[in-house]
Amino acid sequence: MRVRRLGGIAAAAVATTALVTACGGGSSAGGDGKIQLALVAYSTPQAAFEDIIKAYQKTPEGKNITFTQSYGASGDQSRAVASGLKADIVEFSLETDVTRLVDAGLVAADWNKNATKGFLTKSIAVIGTRKGNPKGIKTWDDLVKPGTEVITPNPFTSGGARWNLLAGYGAKSNKGADQAAGLTYVDQLLQHVPVQDDSGRKSLQTFTGGKGDAIITYENEAIFAQQNNQPIDYTVPDSTILIENPVAVTKDSAHPKEAAAFLKYLYSNEAQTIFAKNGYRPVIDGITGFTFPTPPQLFTIDDLGGWPKVTKDFFDSKTGLVADIERKLGVATEK
């Protein structure tokens, strides 16, 4: 088990921005010869993408490219694109949020046929606590002790929330071997959650605003807090889940060549280094200067059956086992 100390952050610095625009909306070609691409992403990589876009615009391929940027809860963003929100490039928390767009005919079926299987960044689920960890919270069991309040988002809007719950589920079920034990733990855990925000970034804002004793979050979000001087600690549990975040270009992009070029750049050493500086684990080799701990009992979504099975069994809004738990607690599961 590893514990890291985080420094301090203003609440405003962790607020989610729904839409950041370079100018206008959607992809377009302006009269000045510049081409505008629309990036739609989940909430947490905003700072990284802003730095990456600035770097890309200094390259020959990116010098005439501008961007609109939309950030929000992964599931909400995916549904918005499926319903007509213009996007040239999408990055989500969950593979299933890209699959939704494949099913809608908006992303090619072979989007993940590359060396990283379509994943752009990696992370793990960690436990954040107040500075000094006054309640001594270090394990999954500590989160369900009497009187402990835990912050994690709504798993029916937030991809991060699904990763968080599956991290605890997998740890307590021996990677899914004992489903009953895992679900009992998730039930107990959610009873300790006083508020379920709609995205991981909003949950971080809730926690840094003073609510809760602990937060389950992406490792990169904990590092984001560190970089913004928030006085919290975080623990890497011995058993936790590997988080993999997918990226794709859309089939209906007005500028497919330019969108593909930006996607290629996202896998470059330069872009992956920027992701690493923002706390993400690179998906390519050769990125140096960063040390990320490897939990001794790290597991993947495939260990739990893969996203199609996990989504159907746990997160179907009507029949899912987690949906049953949430409805019992009065939490909305229909979006």
Side-chain angles (χ1 to χ4, degrees):
M1 182 176 302
R2 300 170 184 260
V3 181
R4 292 191 59 180
R5 174 62 54 83
L6 305 186
I9 190 178
V14 296
T16 297
T17 301
L19 179 64
V20 180
T21 59
C23 58
S27 62
S28 63
D32 57 1
K34 290 187 178 294
I35 289 173
Q36 189 174 85
L37 298 178
L39 168 66
V40 177
Y42 70 111
S43 64
T44 65
Q46 180 176 341
F49 270 122
E50 289 173 352
D51 290 343
I52 286 169
I53 285 170
K54 289 176 185 177
Y56 183 62
Q57 290 171 329
K58 295 177 182 179
T59 69
E61 296 80 9
K63 65 180 181 180
N64 291 318
I65 307 297
T66 64
F67 292 80
T68 61
Q69 303 168 60
S70 174
Y71 301 95
S74 186
D76 287 349
Q77 292 288 82
S78 174
R79 282 184 285 269
V81 174
S83 297
L85 177 64
K86 185 62 182 176
D88 297 288
I89 307 102
V90 295
E91 196 212 4
F92 298 132
S93 174
L94 305 179
E95 182 178 344
T96 51
D97 288 331
V98 177
T99 303
R100 176 184 291 112
L101 302 187
V102 173
D103 293 342
L106 297 174
V107 168
D110 63 353
W111 68 274
N112 57 355
K113 304 301 182 185
N114 65 2
T116 69
K117 299 182 180 180
F119 298 121
L120 180 62
T121 54
K122 296 186 292 186
S123 190
I124 58 173
V126 302
I127 299 171
T129 60
R130 302 294 169 196
K131 184 177 180 180
N133 196 5
K135 289 198 171 185
I137 299 168
K138 298 179 180 180
T139 68
W140 296 110
D141 287 337
D142 290 338
L143 294 178
V144 296
K145 288 182 177 179
T148 301
E149 285 193 339
V150 182
I151 302 301
T152 187
N154 185 326
F156 293 91
T157 57
S158 166
R162 296 190 180 190
W163 287 117
N164 294 348
L165 295 183
L166 290 171
Y169 168 83
K172 301 305 295 182
S173 67
N174 188 22
K175 301 180 183 178
D178 188 344
Q179 185 184 83
L183 287 171
T184 295
Y185 178 80
V186 171
D187 192 334
Q188 292 173 337
L189 175 64
L190 288 172
Q191 292 180 48
H192 287 257
V193 180
V195 57
Q196 296 185 30
D197 293 305
D198 65 11
S199 74
R201 181 52 57 85
K202 287 184 180 179
S203 280
L204 180 59
Q205 184 181 10
T206 294
F207 186 68
T208 57
K211 187 75 171 174
D213 303 299
I215 180 172
I216 310 173
T217 188
Y218 299 119
E219 176 187 48
N220 54 275
E221 281 291 81
I223 293 172
F224 173 85
Q226 178 184 31
Q227 293 169 341
N228 287 276
N229 302 315
Q230 180 60 39
I232 66 174
D233 293 344
Y234 74 91
T235 296
V236 176
D238 288 343
S239 181
T240 192
I241 196 165
L242 177 67
I243 294 166
E244 298 172 299
N245 309 120
V247 67
V249 296
T250 58
K251 290 169 63 175
D252 63 347
S253 171
H255 306 288
K257 179 181 176 181
E258 290 78 10
F262 182 61
L263 177 65
K264 180 179 179 180
Y265 176 77
L266 292 175
Y267 287 106
S268 69
N269 279 24
E270 185 173 42
Q272 286 287 306
T273 297
I274 293 172
F275 276 124
K277 288 179 179 178
N278 281 268
Y280 292 89
R281 298 179 177 220
V283 295
I284 65 171
D285 296 330
I287 306 302
T288 60
F290 305 92
T291 301
F292 296 99
T294 300
Q297 299 169 44
L298 184 67
F299 56 92
T300 71
I301 190 65
D302 289 338
D303 291 323
L304 303 181
W307 275 119
K309 176 175 173 54
V310 167
T311 302
K312 179 178 181 294
D313 291 350
F314 295 111
F315 299 112
D316 184 282
S317 62
K318 293 183 173 63
T319 62
L321 295 167
V322 173
D324 290 343
I325 294 170
E326 290 282 49
R327 277 193 294 270
K328 182 179 68 175
L329 297 172
V331 177
T333 63
E334 298 277 356
K335 292 293 178 180

